[in-house]
Amino acid sequence: MDKTMVEKYKPTFLVEAVYQLTPEMLKKHGFKAVLTDLDNTLIAWNNPLGTPELHTWLEELKQAEIPVVVISNNSHKRIEKAVAPFGIQFVSRAMKPMIKGFREAEKLLNLKPSELVMLGDQLMTDICGSNRAGIASVLVKPVVQSDSFATKFNRMRERRVWKKLEKKYDMTFQEGI
C-alpha cells in the first residue's frame, strides 16, 4: 500500500465512544444527522441491548432533533431486530466500503454529505466508505474486543493500515470532536 492509499482510511476524528459526541459538538461542526455502524459501534455484536450511556445518548440526539441512521452490511432482519428498542432508521446491506448505503441514507434524510457524519469502529468499511462518499468520519473504539467471524479478516488488514496511519498522523483517541 503506497502512502497515498493510506489516506482513504484516515478518519476525520477519533473518539473513544459514540456517546461522547454531544449534540452541541455535532452542531458546532455543522452536522445535522448521524450515520452509524451497528455492531461494535452502537452495540456489542453479540449483545443487542446497548448500554445505559447509549440509550441516554440516543435520547439526547432525539431531543436535539439530530436523527440517527444505522448503516450496516447486515441483513434487514438482523438490523431491524437490533434497532427496534432504539426506534431509529437503518439502511441494510449497505455494501460498505462502497457508497451505496451512504447515498441511501442521504436520500432518506434529504441531506448533503457535508451535513452528515459517520461513526464506525472499522477503518476498512466504515471510514473508507464514508471517505469515498465525501462524509466526515469518526472512528470509535470497538464496544467489545471480540468480533464476529466475518469481521476478523478485516481486523488483520486494519492493523497494518493503522501502523501506516500512525507513522503519518496523530492517531490519538479523544473524548469529543
Side-chain angles (χ1 to χ4, degrees), residues 94-111:
M95 300 172 60
K96 296 178 296 182
M98 293 195 271
I99 64 171
K100 171 194 171 291
F102 297 95
R103 295 298 180 247
E104 285 181 39
E106 288 171 28
K107 288 179 185 167
L108 188 67
L109 295 162
N110 195 30
L111 293 172

Side-chain angles (χ1 to χ4, degrees), residues 34-59:
V34 171
L35 309 178
T36 181
D37 179 47
L38 180 63
D39 294 326
N40 262 350
T41 300
L42 280 188
I43 58 173
W45 68 272
N46 58 355
N47 180 2
L49 300 178
T51 63
E53 294 95 345
L54 175 63
H55 289 269
T56 300
W57 180 72
L58 289 170
E59 185 57 35

Side-chain angles (χ1 to χ4, degrees), residues 27-155:
K27 287 180 178 182
K28 176 183 159 196
H29 287 277
F31 301 131
K32 295 181 178 178
V34 171
L35 309 178
T36 181
D37 179 47
L38 180 63
D39 294 326
N40 262 350
T41 300
L42 280 188
I43 58 173
W45 68 272
N46 58 355
N47 180 2
L49 300 178
T51 63
E53 294 95 345
L54 175 63
H55 289 269
T56 300
W57 180 72
L58 289 170
E59 185 57 35
E60 288 171 358
L61 291 181
K62 184 178 179 180
Q63 293 299 316
E65 298 181 354
I66 299 174
V68 175
V69 175
V70 167
I71 298 182
S72 175
N73 290 344
N74 279 305
S75 70
H76 182 94
K77 185 177 177 181
R78 160 79 173 94
I79 304 166
E80 185 174 50
K81 182 178 177 184
V83 302
F86 308 122
I88 54 180
Q89 295 179 297
F90 63 91
V91 173
S92 62
R93 300 275 187 224
M95 300 172 60
K96 296 178 296 182
M98 293 195 271
I99 64 171
K100 171 194 171 291
F102 297 95
R103 295 298 180 247
E104 285 181 39
E106 288 171 28
K107 288 179 185 167
L108 188 67
L109 295 162
N110 195 30
L111 293 172
K112 296 179 274 189
S114 61
E115 298 171 312
L116 303 169
V117 63
M118 173 67 187
L119 317 179
D121 68 305
Q122 290 189 64
L123 294 173
M124 310 312 279
T125 54
D126 306 316
I127 304 307
C128 181
S130 60
N131 286 343
R132 285 178 170 181
I135 295 171
S137 59
V138 178
L139 181 69
V140 298
K141 290 185 176 180
V143 173
V144 293
Q145 292 306 307
S146 65
D147 284 305
S148 67
F149 179 77
T151 304
K152 290 181 183 194
F153 176 75
N154 276 350
R155 293 286 186 205

